[in-house]
Amino acid sequence: MTGTLIVLGTAQDGGIPQLGSGPGTGAPRLVSSIAVVMDDGTTLLADVSPDVKAQLAKLNQVAAYQKRKARNAVDHITLTHAHMGHYTGLVQFGPEAHNAAALPTWVTASMATYLRDNQPWAALIEGGHLDINSDTGLGGFPIAPGLMLRLVPVPHRAEFTDTVGISVNNEALFIPDIDSWEAWPGAEEEVARHRICLLDASYSSLEEIPGRDLTDIPHPLVSDTLARFGHLTNERRLILTHINHSNPIADPQSKAAAQVRESGFEVAEDFMSFPLGRD
Ligand SMILES: [Zn+2]
Ligand SMILES: [Zn+2]
């Protein structure tokens, strides 16, 4: 079965613009998230951002999404971790919205515990709105015909939960948040394994936000990512996402964005899409 990956948002957790920080760099961007719509209409949402309503409204433009008979907005959810931009849109899947059945939600054991132990998420589970599946292990597991997920552990600040990247059919890899590539010995092997990779590009420089020490919120710099995976750009699309409002690559006209393109990488744009399974 083939499908389409749609990039639903490309900004760091607070979006662009961010509250209280002016217009930000470039055009407005929604918070990072992706969807996969299979050709039979089955739809997976990976990360549920605070912008989820505006993001899912755009799925009506995908022909296969129109084939859906289910009344739920999506058929499956998976989550990378419990930082604000990645799961708080779950509030829209509760009793106030019209979801016909409990949504299969594929997460790590740590994320499952966090959701079960904290409101308002616990109420969504107890009320039968989310069907939490945390027996996900390290291997791939099928969730629908032609759709296999694999949760890939990555190092990232773990105040609440661990963090994973999301692999879809070993073809597309989504890693919106990671502390550093050095801290993840499997980084090159995982990126090499996928044809389409959406990778954390929060910051271009440690001096981007005056008055804030970015070593407290570690991310690989864009230059680190270009250096580490530059040799892998030939046969795959390496796309930079989860862009902070301060990052010059958010503006396609910037020198920084041009340098990304010259290095064989791409800067993600909201609602760009990729065919899956059609090699
Ligand atoms: Zn994030
Ligand atoms: Zn995070």
Side-chain angles (χ1 to χ4, degrees), residues 155 178-187 219-221 224-225 227-229:
I178 187 165
D179 287 353
S180 78
W181 301 120
E182 291 73 33
W184 182 28
H219 289 275
L221 296 180
D224 298 339
T225 305
R228 179 155 297 249
F229 303 118

Side-chain angles (χ1 to χ4, degrees), residues 10-276:
T10 56
Q12 180 261 25
D13 299 42
I16 300 178
Q18 273 187 13
L19 288 181
S21 64
T25 309
R29 289 173 183 262
L30 301 178
V31 175
S32 71
S33 165
I34 63 171
V36 173
V37 181
M38 301 304 285
D39 288 350
D40 68 356
T42 301
T43 300
L44 162 74
L45 176 61
D47 276 352
V48 187
S49 91
D51 292 328
V52 65
K53 284 184 67 181
Q55 293 174 319
L56 294 187
K58 289 276 190 176
L59 287 182
N60 285 316
Q61 296 172 5
V62 181
Y65 187 77
Q66 311 264 2
K67 293 184 192 166
R68 304 180 71 253
K69 293 189 184 70
R71 291 208 306 279
N72 285 355
V74 296
D75 303 295
H76 296 270
I77 284 174
T78 188
L79 302 170
T80 59
H81 66 303
H83 283 155
M84 180 277 255
H86 301 267
Y87 81 109
T88 56
L90 285 175
V91 290
Q92 295 291 351
F93 291 87
E96 298 84 354
H98 190 146
N99 285 298
L103 263 176
T105 302
W106 306 91
V107 295
T108 65
S110 148
M111 186 80 200
T113 300
Y114 179 79
L115 294 173
R116 288 192 182 106
D117 287 355
N118 292 282
Q119 296 294 0
W121 327 112
L124 294 179
I125 299 166
E126 285 155 20
H129 303 286
L130 301 180
D131 174 17
I132 299 292
N133 296 277
S134 59
D135 191 16
T136 46
L138 290 177
F141 50 95
I143 61 169
L147 185 52
M148 189 185 76
L149 276 189
R150 187 161 56 85
L151 305 186
V152 182
V154 300
H156 182 52
R157 293 176 292 117
E159 298 97 330
F160 308 121
T161 65
D162 56 11
T163 298
V164 289
I166 308 241
S167 167
V168 176
N169 291 346
N170 286 323
E171 185 179 10
L173 180 67
F174 176 49
I175 302 184
D177 261 301
I178 187 165
D179 287 353
S180 78
W181 301 120
E182 291 73 33
W184 182 28
E188 275 177 67
E189 192 186 338
E190 278 298 348
V191 167
R193 192 168 175 178
H194 294 83
R195 192 171 64 77
I196 301 160
C197 298
L198 289 140
L199 303 174
D200 178 348
S202 302
Y203 305 112
S204 280
S205 138
L206 288 177
E207 279 83 50
E208 258 172 53
I209 310 183
R212 181 138 190 203
D213 183 357
L214 292 189
T215 55
D216 290 342
I217 36 174
H219 289 275
L221 296 180
V222 168
S223 54
D224 298 339
T225 305
L226 301 189
R228 179 155 297 249
F229 303 118
H231 64 294
L232 297 173
T233 54
N234 271 347
E235 287 152 19
R236 48 186 73 71
R237 294 182 69 172
L238 302 184
I239 303 148
L240 305 187
T241 193
H242 195 274
I243 301 164
N244 199 59
H245 68 96
S246 56
N247 190 337
I249 70 166
D251 176 2
Q253 310 300 328
S254 68
K255 241 163 95 179
Q259 196 184 353
V260 168
R261 295 190 294 267
E262 282 155 20
S263 305
F265 292 71
E266 298 168 62
V267 177
E269 292 300 334
D270 289 11
F271 306 113
M272 69 196 303
S273 66
F274 308 90
L276 294 179

